[in-house]
Amino acid sequence: MPKVSIPAQKLEFEVPAGSNLRDDLRREGVEVYQGLTRYVNCFGHGTCGECRILVKKGMENLSPKGLFEKATLFRMLSTIGHENEMRLSCQCAVNGDVEIEVQPEMNLSGETFWAKPWPNK
Ligand code: FES
């Protein structure tokens, strides 16, 4: 069975292959949402962006990003600096071991944000 680890919370648990990451986190008692978004969110439809996670290891073990997830991540400021590692937990099926961070901070000094389009152009 795939393993989900959250080093910041010293937590590690196994989940059934193909299970929904947001559901797994909630079942394990991990607080996926912050503040009022615990009550006001899209309930796993991939449109609010409040269930975001940072994938530290094992991105290849999560299901690929779908259209809703790409659109939601595109309009979220907190994705800045984490373009390649931010996911919405409600849109992820876990197929292998992953290491994640829940409710990551915004990273305005991220490498990819300030580097675009100059000098990479
Ligand atoms: S719960 Fe709203 S995007 Fe995941």
Side-chain angles (χ1 to χ4, degrees), residues 22 33 42-44 46-51 88 90:
R22 171 184 170 265
Y33 305 105
C42 73
F43 302 103
T47 56
C48 72
E50 295 300 330
C51 66
L88 300 177
C90 68

Side-chain angles (χ1 to χ4, degrees), residues 17 31 41 73 107 110:
E31 191 53 70
N41 58 66
L73 288 171
N107 178 13

Side-chain angles (χ1 to χ4, degrees), residues 73-87:
L73 288 171
F74 181 74
R75 67 173 170 74
M76 290 170 43
L77 285 177
S78 55
T79 305
I80 295 171
H82 299 295
E83 290 86 353
N84 297 323
E85 52 186 354
M86 183 82 72
R87 293 294 307 264

